[in-house]
Amino acid sequence: MRYAARRRLAVISFTAPALLGITIFFVYPLVASVFLSFTKFDLLSTPRWVGFDNYAFMFEDASLRKAVYNTAWLVAVMVPAKVLGSLLTGFLLTKYRKASGFYRTIFYLPYLAPPVAATIAFVALFKPGTGPVNAILESVGIDGPLWFNDPDLSKPSLTLLLLWGMGDLVVIFLAAMLDVPTALYEAAELDGANAWHKMRHITLPTISPVILFAVITTTIATLQYFTQAAVAASVASDQATTGGGISSTFGYPQESTFTYPLWLYVVGFRYGAMGYANALAVVLFLVAFSVTVILLRRNKAFLGGAS
């Protein structure tokens, strides 16, 4: 009995720092946000209880509907594009034997660039009139589009920016594929399996936990898409803003890049509606949590296996 008590005490001692950190930096802010989402206040006033008014107002918020549409579009397009693009690139890199380190470095380097600097450089490359991309297209007789300045192309342009910096997932998939036992491929070849059969029945099932991890983390990151959308809109609009005016360029052009986190920021720090901003944050958390639970439960079906 005394041994069991000492063992429990040792376990508590080792896990206490982590539990303390989770309580301070996750549980307390989450509980506080849920409580504050039922209040109305700004940074200078005391919270006043308003019940479900903040949540009810979401159904009347036209800007929120636009932000939800843009974020849903980005999730529907960016997540498959990044996961499939990284998977394909990682697979191709496993086939390179010569200068493999060079190619892996080339694909990983853009990910190391700070998001703000990388976004500014990327938008400058596609800048109509001055960017080298349109200059190259014009040299071969093609009129370059407006890219980030066109409401119809701004979100696809952000997707290109995401694919440019997908080096993190490429490295993860590459490591997972190189870890697949070669004996499995040799046995499949003896049975007459071609490249597609080996990919479908050996590679994908073996790295399925990595694929699930990639889908979940990419989905959560896209739901929180903020920095690149804000910086790209500011650079494309040619407006230099600082301090409280920085949100004036959010969504350029024509609110086509106005994401859910950007609207949350505007509500809280431009309009000072902190209670409503907390309600938006709680809804975003619930959506991300629900998507994660659904993906975990449907893991086998998502990867084509039996559920």
Side-chain angles (χ1 to χ4, degrees), residues 170-218:
V170 171
V171 170
I172 293 173
F173 280 132
L174 175 63
M177 290 180 186
L178 292 177
D179 202 36
V180 177
T182 55
L184 296 177
Y185 294 121
E186 293 170 355
E189 289 173 357
L190 291 176
D191 291 336
N194 56 28
W196 166 247
H197 291 151
K198 287 188 284 186
M199 170 64 82
R200 172 67 180 83
H201 297 289
I202 297 177
T203 306
L204 291 180
T206 305
I207 68 171
S208 60
V210 181
I211 296 176
L212 178 63
F213 166 80
V215 172
I216 290 176
T217 55
T218 306

Coordinates of all heavy atoms in Angstrom, one line a residue, residues 170-218:
V170 N 6.1 18.3 -46.3 CA 6.9 17.5 -47.3 C 7.9 16.7 -46.5 O 8.1 15.5 -46.7 CB 7.6 18.4 -48.3 CG1 8.6 17.6 -49.1 CG2 6.5 19.0 -49.2
V171 N 8.6 17.3 -45.6 CA 9.6 16.6 -44.8 C 9.0 15.5 -43.9 O 9.6 14.4 -43.8 CB 10.4 17.6 -43.9 CG1 11.3 16.9 -42.9 CG2 11.2 18.5 -44.8
I172 N 7.8 15.8 -43.3 CA 7.2 14.8 -42.5 C 6.8 13.6 -43.3 O 7.0 12.4 -42.9 CB 5.9 15.4 -41.8 CG1 6.4 16.4 -40.8 CG2 5.1 14.3 -41.1 CD1 5.3 17.2 -40.1
F173 N 6.2 13.8 -44.5 CA 5.8 12.7 -45.4 C 7.0 11.9 -45.9 O 6.9 10.7 -46.0 CB 4.9 13.2 -46.5 CG 3.5 13.4 -46.2 CD1 2.9 14.6 -46.5 CD2 2.7 12.5 -45.5 CE1 1.5 14.9 -46.2 CE2 1.4 12.7 -45.2 CZ 0.8 13.9 -45.5
L174 N 8.0 12.7 -46.2 CA 9.2 12.0 -46.7 C 9.8 11.1 -45.7 O 10.2 9.9 -46.0 CB 10.3 13.1 -47.1 CG 11.6 12.6 -47.6 CD1 11.5 11.8 -48.8 CD2 12.6 13.8 -47.8
A175 N 9.9 11.5 -44.4 CA 10.4 10.7 -43.4 C 9.5 9.5 -43.2 O 10.0 8.4 -42.9 CB 10.5 11.5 -42.1
A176 N 8.2 9.7 -43.2 CA 7.3 8.5 -43.0 C 7.4 7.5 -44.2 O 7.5 6.3 -43.9 CB 5.9 9.0 -43.0
M177 N 7.6 8.0 -45.4 CA 7.7 7.0 -46.5 C 9.0 6.3 -46.5 O 9.1 5.1 -46.8 CB 7.6 7.8 -47.9 CG 6.2 8.3 -48.1 SD 6.1 9.2 -49.7 CE 4.4 9.8 -49.7
L178 N 10.1 7.0 -46.1 CA 11.4 6.3 -46.0 C 11.4 5.3 -44.9 O 12.3 4.4 -44.9 CB 12.5 7.3 -45.8 CG 12.8 8.3 -47.0 CD1 13.8 9.3 -46.6 CD2 13.2 7.5 -48.2
D179 N 10.5 5.4 -44.0 CA 10.5 4.5 -42.8 C 9.6 3.2 -43.1 O 9.6 2.3 -42.3 CB 9.9 5.2 -41.6 CG 10.3 4.5 -40.3 OD1 11.4 4.0 -40.2 OD2 9.4 4.5 -39.4
V180 N 9.0 3.2 -44.3 CA 8.2 2.0 -44.6 C 9.2 0.8 -44.9 O 10.1 1.0 -45.7 CB 7.3 2.2 -45.9 CG1 6.6 0.9 -46.3 CG2 6.3 3.3 -45.6
P181 N 9.0 -0.4 -44.3 CA 9.9 -1.5 -44.5 C 10.0 -1.9 -46.0 O 9.0 -2.1 -46.6 CB 9.3 -2.6 -43.7 CG 8.5 -1.9 -42.6 CD 8.0 -0.7 -43.3
T182 N 11.2 -2.0 -46.5 CA 11.4 -2.3 -47.9 C 11.0 -3.8 -48.2 O 10.7 -4.1 -49.3 CB 12.9 -2.2 -48.3 OG1 13.7 -2.9 -47.4 CG2 13.3 -0.7 -48.3
A183 N 11.0 -4.6 -47.1 CA 10.6 -6.0 -47.3 C 9.2 -6.1 -47.8 O 8.8 -7.0 -48.6 CB 10.8 -6.8 -46.0
L184 N 8.3 -5.2 -47.4 CA 6.9 -5.2 -47.9 C 6.8 -5.0 -49.4 O 6.1 -5.6 -50.1 CB 6.1 -4.1 -47.1 CG 6.0 -4.3 -45.6 CD1 5.2 -3.2 -45.0 CD2 5.3 -5.6 -45.3
Y185 N 7.6 -4.0 -49.9 CA 7.6 -3.7 -51.3 C 8.2 -4.9 -52.1 O 7.7 -5.3 -53.2 CB 8.5 -2.5 -51.6 CG 7.9 -1.2 -51.1 CD1 8.6 -0.4 -50.2 CD2 6.6 -0.8 -51.4 CE1 8.0 0.7 -49.6 CE2 6.1 0.4 -50.9 CZ 6.8 1.1 -50.0 OH 6.2 2.3 -49.5
E186 N 9.3 -5.5 -51.6 CA 9.9 -6.7 -52.2 C 8.9 -7.9 -52.3 O 8.8 -8.5 -53.4 CB 11.1 -7.1 -51.5 CG 12.3 -6.0 -51.6 CD 13.4 -6.4 -50.6 OE1 13.3 -7.3 -49.9 OE2 14.4 -5.6 -50.7
A187 N 8.1 -8.1 -51.2 CA 7.1 -9.1 -51.3 C 6.0 -8.9 -52.2 O 5.5 -9.8 -53.0 CB 6.6 -9.3 -49.8
A188 N 5.6 -7.6 -52.3 CA 4.6 -7.2 -53.3 C 5.0 -7.4 -54.7 O 4.2 -7.8 -55.6 CB 4.1 -5.7 -53.0
E189 N 6.3 -7.0 -55.0 CA 6.8 -7.2 -56.3 C 6.8 -8.7 -56.8 O 6.6 -9.0 -57.9 CB 8.2 -6.6 -56.4 CG 8.2 -5.1 -56.3 CD 9.6 -4.5 -56.2 OE1 10.6 -5.3 -56.2 OE2 9.8 -3.3 -56.2
L190 N 7.1 -9.5 -55.8 CA 7.1 -11.0 -56.1 C 5.7 -11.4 -56.5 O 5.5 -12.4 -57.3 CB 7.6 -11.8 -54.9 CG 9.1 -11.6 -54.6 CD1 9.5 -12.4 -53.4 CD2 10.0 -12.1 -55.8
D191 N 4.7 -10.7 -55.9 CA 3.3 -11.1 -56.2 C 2.8 -10.4 -57.5 O 1.6 -10.4 -57.8 CB 2.4 -10.7 -55.0 CG 2.7 -11.7 -53.8 OD1 3.2 -12.8 -54.1 OD2 2.4 -11.3 -52.7
G192 N 3.7 -9.6 -58.1 CA 3.3 -8.9 -59.4 C 2.6 -7.6 -59.2 O 2.0 -7.1 -60.1
A193 N 2.8 -6.9 -58.0 CA 2.2 -5.6 -57.8 C 2.9 -4.5 -58.5 O 4.1 -4.5 -58.6 CB 2.2 -5.3 -56.3
N194 N 2.1 -3.6 -59.1 CA 2.7 -2.5 -59.8 C 2.9 -1.3 -58.8 O 2.6 -1.4 -57.6 CB 1.9 -2.1 -61.0 CG 0.5 -1.7 -60.7 OD1 0.2 -1.3 -59.5 ND2 -0.5 -2.0 -61.6
A195 N 3.3 -0.1 -59.3 CA 3.6 1.0 -58.5 C 2.3 1.5 -57.8 O 2.4 1.8 -56.6 CB 4.2 2.1 -59.3
W196 N 1.2 1.5 -58.5 CA -0.1 2.0 -57.9 C -0.5 1.0 -56.8 O -0.9 1.4 -55.7 CB -1.2 2.1 -58.9 CG -2.5 2.2 -58.3 CD1 -3.5 1.3 -58.4 CD2 -3.0 3.3 -57.5 NE1 -4.6 1.8 -57.7 CE2 -4.3 3.0 -57.1 CE3 -2.4 4.5 -57.0 CZ2 -5.1 3.8 -56.3 CZ3 -3.2 5.3 -56.2 CH2 -4.5 5.0 -55.9
H197 N -0.4 -0.3 -57.0 CA -0.8 -1.3 -56.0 C 0.1 -1.1 -54.7 O -0.4 -1.2 -53.6 CB -0.6 -2.7 -56.6 CG -1.6 -3.0 -57.6 ND1 -1.4 -3.9 -58.6 CD2 -2.9 -2.5 -57.8 CE1 -2.4 -4.0 -59.4 NE2 -3.4 -3.2 -58.9
K198 N 1.4 -0.9 -54.9 CA 2.3 -0.7 -53.7 C 1.9 0.6 -53.0 O 1.9 0.6 -51.7 CB 3.7 -0.7 -54.2 CG 4.2 -2.0 -54.6 CD 5.7 -2.0 -54.9 CE 6.0 -1.3 -56.2 NZ 7.5 -1.4 -56.6
M199 N 1.6 1.6 -53.7 CA 1.2 2.9 -53.1 C -0.1 2.7 -52.3 O -0.3 3.1 -51.2 CB 1.1 4.0 -54.1 CG 0.4 5.3 -53.6 SD 1.4 6.1 -52.3 CE 2.6 7.0 -53.2
R200 N -1.1 2.0 -53.0 CA -2.4 1.9 -52.4 C -2.5 0.9 -51.2 O -3.2 1.2 -50.2 CB -3.4 1.4 -53.5 CG -4.8 1.1 -53.1 CD -5.6 2.3 -52.6 NE -6.9 2.0 -52.2 CZ -7.2 1.5 -51.0 NH1 -6.2 1.4 -50.1 NH2 -8.4 1.3 -50.6
H201 N -1.8 -0.2 -51.3 CA -1.9 -1.2 -50.3 C -0.8 -1.3 -49.3 O -0.9 -2.0 -48.3 CB -2.1 -2.6 -51.0 CG -3.3 -2.7 -51.8 ND1 -4.6 -2.7 -51.3 CD2 -3.5 -2.7 -53.2 CE1 -5.5 -2.8 -52.3 NE2 -4.8 -2.7 -53.5
I202 N 0.3 -0.6 -49.5 CA 1.5 -0.6 -48.6 C 1.8 0.8 -48.1 O 1.7 1.0 -46.8 CB 2.7 -1.2 -49.3 CG1 2.4 -2.6 -49.7 CG2 3.9 -1.1 -48.3 CD1 3.6 -3.3 -50.5
T203 N 2.1 1.7 -49.0 CA 2.5 3.0 -48.5 C 1.5 3.8 -47.7 O 1.7 4.2 -46.6 CB 3.0 3.9 -49.7 OG1 4.0 3.2 -50.4 CG2 3.6 5.2 -49.2
L204 N 0.3 3.9 -48.3 CA -0.8 4.7 -47.7 C -1.2 4.1 -46.4 O -1.4 4.9 -45.4 CB -2.0 4.9 -48.7 CG -1.7 5.8 -49.9 CD1 -2.9 5.9 -50.7 CD2 -1.2 7.2 -49.4
P205 N -1.5 2.8 -46.3 CA -1.9 2.3 -45.0 C -0.8 2.4 -43.9 O -1.1 2.7 -42.7 CB -2.2 0.8 -45.3 CG -2.5 0.8 -46.7 CD -1.7 1.8 -47.3
T206 N 0.5 2.3 -44.3 CA 1.5 2.4 -43.3 C 1.7 3.8 -42.8 O 2.0 3.9 -41.6 CB 2.9 1.9 -44.0 OG1 2.7 0.6 -44.5 CG2 4.0 1.9 -43.0
I207 N 1.5 4.8 -43.6 CA 1.7 6.2 -43.2 C 0.4 6.8 -42.8 O 0.3 8.1 -42.7 CB 2.5 7.0 -44.2 CG1 1.6 7.2 -45.5 CG2 3.8 6.4 -44.6 CD1 2.2 8.2 -46.4
S208 N -0.7 6.0 -42.7 CA -2.0 6.6 -42.4 C -2.1 7.5 -41.2 O -2.7 8.5 -41.2 CB -3.1 5.5 -42.4 OG -2.8 4.6 -41.3
P209 N -1.4 7.1 -40.1 CA -1.4 8.0 -38.9 C -0.7 9.4 -39.2 O -1.2 10.4 -38.7 CB -0.5 7.3 -37.9 CG -0.6 5.8 -38.3 CD -0.7 5.9 -39.8
V210 N 0.3 9.4 -40.1 CA 0.9 10.7 -40.5 C 0.0 11.5 -41.3 O -0.1 12.7 -41.2 CB 2.2 10.4 -41.2 CG1 2.9 11.7 -41.6 CG2 3.2 9.6 -40.4
I211 N -0.8 10.8 -42.2 CA -1.7 11.6 -43.1 C -2.8 12.2 -42.2 O -3.2 13.3 -42.4 CB -2.4 10.6 -44.1 CG1 -1.3 10.1 -45.1 CG2 -3.5 11.3 -44.9 CD1 -1.8 9.1 -46.1
L212 N -3.3 11.4 -41.2 CA -4.3 11.9 -40.3 C -3.8 13.1 -39.6 O -4.5 14.1 -39.4 CB -4.8 10.8 -39.4 CG -5.8 11.3 -38.3 CD1 -7.1 11.7 -39.0 CD2 -6.1 10.1 -37.3
F213 N -2.6 13.0 -39.1 CA -2.0 14.1 -38.3 C -1.9 15.4 -39.3 O -2.2 16.5 -38.8 CB -0.6 13.7 -37.9 CG 0.3 14.9 -37.4 CD1 0.1 15.4 -36.2 CD2 1.2 15.4 -38.3 CE1 0.9 16.5 -35.8 CE2 2.0 16.5 -37.9 CZ 1.9 17.0 -36.6
A214 N -1.5 15.2 -40.5 CA -1.4 16.3 -41.5 C -2.7 17.0 -41.7 O -2.8 18.2 -41.8 CB -0.7 15.8 -42.8
V215 N -3.8 16.1 -41.9 CA -5.1 16.7 -42.2 C -5.6 17.5 -41.0 O -6.1 18.6 -41.2 CB -6.1 15.6 -42.5 CG1 -7.5 16.1 -42.6 CG2 -5.7 14.9 -43.9
I216 N -5.4 17.0 -39.8 CA -6.0 17.7 -38.6 C -5.2 19.0 -38.4 O -5.8 20.0 -38.2 CB -5.9 16.7 -37.4 CG1 -6.9 15.6 -37.5 CG2 -6.1 17.5 -36.1 CD1 -6.8 14.6 -36.4
T217 N -3.9 18.9 -38.4 CA -3.1 20.1 -38.1 C -3.3 21.2 -39.2 O -3.4 22.4 -38.9 CB -1.6 19.8 -38.0 OG1 -1.2 19.1 -39.1 CG2 -1.4 19.0 -36.7
T218 N -3.4 20.8 -40.5 CA -3.6 21.7 -41.5 C -5.0 22.3 -41.5 O -5.2 23.5 -41.7 CB -3.4 21.0 -42.9 OG1 -2.2 20.4 -43.0 CG2 -3.5 22.1 -44.0

